[in-house]
Amino acid sequence: MSMGTAVSESLLEEAAELARRAGRLTLEWYSPTVEVVTKGDGSPVTAADRAAEQLLRSELIERFPRDAIMGEEHGYSGGASGRTWFIDPIDGTQSFIRGVPLFATLLALEDADGVAVGVIDLPALGETVMAGRGLGCFLNEQRIAVGDRSELNGSVLCTSSFDLIPDDTARRLQRSSVILRGWGDAYGYALLAAGRIEAMFDPVVKPWDVAPMAVVIPEAGGTFTDCTGRPDIRSGTGLATNGSLHDEILSIVAARD
């Protein structure tokens, strides 16, 4: 469970409702024929990304005018409250533009004690994973938890991109007894929180990609850190496990040949 002061149920419900609204909005563009623009960093973006983030920004500014906002498409806007909302309007854009339903709208709130609220809305699947510090983790209102497998043999580890895994790390993973799968992006973290897999590894991430995971995974009973073992959403890497396997998997992804 996450450390720090528990948040209110109403705040979690409000965040989930906003993420669901934004997720439903993205479905208006959900088609393999959607127009795609390549950003400066080479990643794809669509009108759905921009519309969903704008919806969330407008609602957050109206409801929480003193909070800061950090979003993938429109950057940072400051606030005076000491709290920051993180927005990823479509996490898994590669899935979205190909008509694959494993994309998500992500929303998270960080306060002085860390990430307090996190939502993973999977609009094409009709699933919402949400967690609030001290409240637990839920899938469509039903409480969920990570699995209890304690042996690496037979455990499933997912990743968002095999291409981004360093060669030495990839070799160690391949030599281990873990089962590797590509159910990645936010969907992989949702699978972990629900006990469907045992680990999720992201060798390259931005804060908005993993901000919700910093509360979703601990509230589901698991562990979220970067690849040095720190619970840091800004370091550029992410590793989430069921907890029992964290040290063993961390030793694989953090080591250098």
Side-chain angles (χ1 to χ4, degrees):
M1 182 173 290
S2 308
M3 302 298 291
T5 305
V7 299
S8 67
E9 291 185 16
S10 61
L11 179 60
L12 175 58
E13 290 168 358
E14 190 168 11
E17 180 262 331
L18 287 174
R20 287 184 180 120
R21 281 182 57 192
R24 288 195 298 269
L25 181 60
T26 68
L27 294 179
E28 296 182 15
W29 287 268
Y30 180 45
S31 166
T33 61
V34 65
E35 183 179 354
V36 181
V37 175
T38 301
K39 295 190 288 187
D41 63 0
S43 62
V45 65
T46 70
D49 297 80
R50 297 190 175 109
E53 181 165 328
Q54 190 55 55
L55 169 65
L56 287 171
R57 281 181 176 271
S58 298
E59 289 291 340
L60 292 172
I61 289 169
E62 180 178 346
R63 301 179 191 211
F64 309 101
R66 299 182 68 250
D67 290 356
I69 301 173
M70 171 63 80
E72 179 176 13
E73 305 305 333
H74 299 289
Y76 179 77
S77 58
S81 68
R83 306 195 317 178
T84 301
W85 291 90
F86 290 87
I87 301 170
D88 191 343
I90 299 180
D91 185 74
T93 304
Q94 291 288 355
S95 293
F96 181 82
I97 64 178
R98 287 169 171 77
V100 177
L102 308 183
F103 60 91
T105 294
L106 304 182
L107 184 62
L109 173 64
E110 181 183 53
D111 62 18
D113 292 326
V115 181
V117 169
V119 184
I120 305 169
D121 182 61
L122 299 151
L125 299 180
E127 295 187 357
T128 304
V129 175
M130 58 183 180
R133 190 169 57 218
L135 299 179
C137 185
F138 302 85
L139 170 59
N140 292 354
E141 319 304 331
Q142 181 176 355
R143 189 154 187 161
I144 57 174
V146 298
D148 59 2
R149 182 183 288 272
S150 59
E151 294 183 0
L152 197 61
N153 184 29
S155 293
V156 174
L157 180 146
C158 290
T159 187
S160 298
S161 176
F162 290 100
D163 291 343
L164 296 176
I165 299 176
D167 290 344
D168 55 341
T169 301
R171 285 192 294 269
R172 284 191 300 274
L173 287 170
Q174 290 164 0
R175 290 195 300 261
S176 75
S177 55
V178 71
I179 299 169
L180 300 175
R181 290 292 181 268
W183 305 318
D185 301 308
Y187 182 63
Y189 293 97
L191 291 176
L192 172 62
R196 297 168 177 171
I197 65 171
E198 284 68 47
M200 175 66 195
F201 170 46
D202 267 322
V204 179
V205 288
K206 299 294 187 181
W208 48 78
D209 294 318
V210 292
M213 318 319 167
V215 64
V216 164
I217 301 304
E219 288 295 325
T223 302
F224 173 83
T225 69
D226 64 12
C227 289
T228 71
R230 298 175 300 164
D232 185 355
I233 65 172
R234 293 175 173 82
S235 71
T237 63
L239 176 66
T241 74
N242 65 355
S244 301
L245 295 169
H246 201 81
D247 289 345
E248 189 171 2
I249 295 176
L250 182 62
S251 70
I252 295 173
V253 302
R256 290 291 177 266
D257 289 345

